[in-house]
Amino acid sequence: MTNFQLTPAEMVVLDLLLQGMSNRAIAETLVLSIRTVESHISTSLGKTGCRSRLQLSLWWMQQIRSGAPMYAGRVPSLPA
């Protein structure tokens, strides 16, 4: 994997991706366009070197469990 920093917005999208949500469901939850969600996922794939949503989800789960310092800042809270 490459050296990178995920943005807070990318991390929120990845958290929802871990819940098995579709791009449309993530967009509706975060009140974003589907294209914005697709862009966050695409950018995250490029930054991490992952080749699929599944690989990205598994990688993100591993990062969360290991507490690896792979980003600057904290993940913002999701809207209620």
Side-chain angles (χ1 to χ4, degrees), residues 1-2 4 43-52 55-56 59:
M1 302 291 169
T2 58
F4 63 92
T43 303
S44 297
L45 287 167
K47 287 179 178 181
T48 62
C50 294
R51 294 183 183 194
S52 68
Q55 187 180 18
L56 182 62
W59 175 86

Side-chain angles (χ1 to χ4, degrees), residues 8-19:
E10 290 164 349
M11 291 185 278
V12 170
V13 168
L14 291 181
D15 286 339
L16 294 176
L17 190 64
L18 273 183
Q19 295 178 30

Side-chain angles (χ1 to χ4, degrees), residues 59-70:
W59 175 86
W60 183 238
M61 189 180 342
Q62 181 182 17
Q63 298 307 303
I64 291 169
R65 285 185 179 173
S66 70
M70 71 292 189

Side-chain angles (χ1 to χ4, degrees), residues 8 11 71-76:
M11 291 185 278
Y71 53 84
R74 304 208 67 186
V75 176

